[in-house]
Amino acid sequence: MKVKFISTKFHVNEEKRTVTCEMVAKLSDEITGQDNIRFTYEGANRICRPFKAITVAYCHKDDKFNETIGKRIAESRAKRLIYSEGKERAKQIKRALEACLSEVVMLENNMTSYKEKEIKHTQKLMSEVK
């Protein structure tokens, strides 16, 4: 699982001395190469759909405006937001998987209990036949 960057756009405004970065990303399944194939639980569509970060780099009035540096700063800030959102979504996935695991453990325990009841039931029936 990783963050897949879909698009990055920059808007440069030399008059205002700003560079804006608009970045779109989503969570991607790195193992299979298919996006989010393993996540079928409720809420997966919300967690796995693309998300956007918009950041602005401002040039101080005493500094010389440099478009390249402005793009790097704005892009770095956008990536930080993307990674923060990715972390939050990873936490949601983790909570969902933990809940699923809890249900599977309960199912496993129930199946063991049901099997033991059936063994006792069969033994009782067999003893009645004798």
Side-chain angles (χ1 to χ4, degrees), residues 9-10 13-15 17 21 25-26 33 35 44-45 58 62 69 72 80 82 96 106 114 120-121 123 125 128-129:
K9 296 177 187 173
F10 293 99
N13 187 330
E14 289 187 34
E15 186 179 307
R17 303 164 51 89
C21 178
K26 65 189 249 178
D35 295 336
N45 288 337
Y58 298 92
D62 297 335
I69 292 174
R72 288 181 183 167
R80 287 188 344 219
I82 292 290
M106 186 171 58
Y114 297 153
K120 288 178 183 177
H121 183 247
Q123 288 172 343
L125 290 173
E128 291 175 3
V129 172

Side-chain angles (χ1 to χ4, degrees), residues 4-5 16 21-22 31-32 40 45 47 54 57 61 65 71 73 79 90-91 100 102 108-109 113 117 126 130:
K4 180 179 179 182
F5 294 96
K16 291 185 178 180
C21 178
E22 183 178 321
I31 295 170
T32 64
T40 57
N45 288 337
I47 290 171
I54 300 173
K61 64 179 179 176
F65 180 75
K71 284 181 178 180
I73 292 169
K79 283 183 177 178
K91 286 180 183 179
C100 182
S102 175
E108 180 183 31
N109 292 338
S113 175
K117 285 180 183 178
M126 296 295 282
K130 293 180 183 178

Side-chain angles (χ1 to χ4, degrees), residues 83-96:
Y83 292 137
S84 292
E85 178 63 22
K87 181 178 178 180
E88 289 305 311
R89 290 179 183 216
K91 286 180 183 179
Q92 293 174 358
I93 291 168
K94 182 180 174 186
R95 282 193 297 272

Side-chain angles (χ1 to χ4, degrees), residues 56-72:
V56 180
Y58 298 92
C59 181
H60 189 270
K61 64 179 179 176
D62 297 335
D63 293 336
K64 180 181 177 196
F65 180 75
N66 184 315
E67 181 179 331
T68 303
I69 292 174
K71 284 181 178 180
R72 288 181 183 167

